[in-house]
Amino acid sequence: MRIIITGGTGLIGEALTRSLLSDGHAVQVLTRNPSRTKASAEGLQYVQWDGRTAQGWGDLASGADAIVNLAGEGIADGRWSKERRNRILQSRLDAGAAVMAAISAAPVKPRALVQASAVGYYGPRANEMINESASPGSDWLSHVVWEWENATASEARLGVRRTVARKGVVFSLKGGAFPKMKLPFDMIFAGGPLGSGDQYIPWIHIEDEVRALRFLIENAATEGVYNLSAPTPVTYDQFAATMGEVMGRTSFMPAPAFALKAVLGDMASILLTGQRVVPARLLEAG
């Protein structure tokens, strides 16, 4: 297969690329700075793009087996200033528009489009069990994710199979949220829940994230929205207790909500609220 990946130099994109290459597939990674990367693996090509248009790479879409659109500025990379909120949203809208322009112009349409998304779509839902049929939330992050998904929603009229991967909190030692969640246990030899501790973490291991994405790429029977999360979401209390046990640390020192809000601003909401998400459609698909 030949796979095009936007956002392929990020945590998930790099892991997905390695997995595909290990099975002999060709991967074309779109990046703003191809000169900073080296295509050291057979079958790997870095391609220049501006993050906004199909200029310079759009012709690659013709005949591709799949396009995986992971591009977008990181949600948890800094405080949510007005300027940063705009960048978070616009980066996703621009990437979606570029992908759709490439597909529209392709003489031979790609077989599949996998559109990245996130469980933030559902908004804070307390203890409610959430599957893919749940409605969107009403907070700012829900709006961003809704717009992100809809940036490529017109692919149906182009005859391209499209799946939407609503990912949970990806656990990896190489980056993302997990090292930040682990930091209190490393720094002060103790840790604990954030806020009330009752909020659910819809977690998924990086290897399972990659396997799920590959399932959506390779399985022609998949279409529509899929939650990418473990079947067993845990509360922050449960997470902290497990971290403490594994690392040999105490786990009873909670970080109060007001302290997190003082440090992180509105971004603290992604730690203080959660979703009890289950991957119902992946489970149904085996």
Side-chain angles (χ1 to χ4, degrees), residues 184 188 191-197 199 236 252-265 268-269 271-272:
I188 59 175
L194 303 180
S196 69
Q199 69 272 36
Y236 229 112
F252 59 82
M253 297 178 61
F258 73 85
L260 289 172
K261 291 177 181 177
V263 174
L264 301 176
S269 64
L271 299 175
L272 296 173

Side-chain angles (χ1 to χ4, degrees), residues 169-247:
V169 181
V170 179
F171 279 6
S172 169
L173 291 173
K174 295 183 178 180
F178 184 74
K180 298 180 179 70
M181 298 165 74
K182 178 174 173 282
L183 190 61
F185 296 87
D186 289 326
M187 296 293 291
I188 59 175
F189 305 105
L194 303 180
S196 69
D198 294 334
Q199 69 272 36
Y200 274 86
I201 306 171
W203 67 280
I204 182 170
H205 191 282
I206 184 66
E207 290 185 11
D208 291 320
E209 174 79 11
V210 168
R211 289 168 182 156
L213 288 171
R214 288 199 55 173
F215 181 76
L216 298 181
I217 292 169
E218 298 166 14
N219 190 330
T222 61
E223 194 165 5
V225 176
Y226 290 80
N227 290 335
L228 271 55
S229 61
T232 53
V234 297
T235 66
Y236 229 112
D237 276 336
Q238 294 170 314
F239 168 79
T242 302
M243 285 290 290
E245 180 179 353
V246 170
M247 296 183 65

Side-chain angles (χ1 to χ4, degrees), residues 19-77:
S19 176
L20 289 166
L21 292 174
S22 70
D23 285 339
H25 301 298
V27 181
Q28 296 169 314
V29 174
L30 306 187
T31 174
R32 291 181 177 85
N33 299 296
S35 61
R36 296 184 183 179
T37 55
K38 294 182 179 180
S40 57
E42 183 178 354
L44 174 61
Q45 178 186 7
Y46 290 102
V47 181
Q48 176 80 45
W49 86 313
D50 58 13
R52 297 180 294 104
T53 70
Q55 184 176 354
W57 70 271
D59 60 310
L60 300 177
S62 183
D65 289 282
I67 298 177
V68 183
N69 183 25
L70 302 175
E73 182 161 339
I75 292 288
D77 291 348

Side-chain angles (χ1 to χ4, degrees), residues 3 66 113 132 164 188 229:
I3 312 298
L113 168 63
E132 290 86 352
V164 176
I188 59 175
S229 61

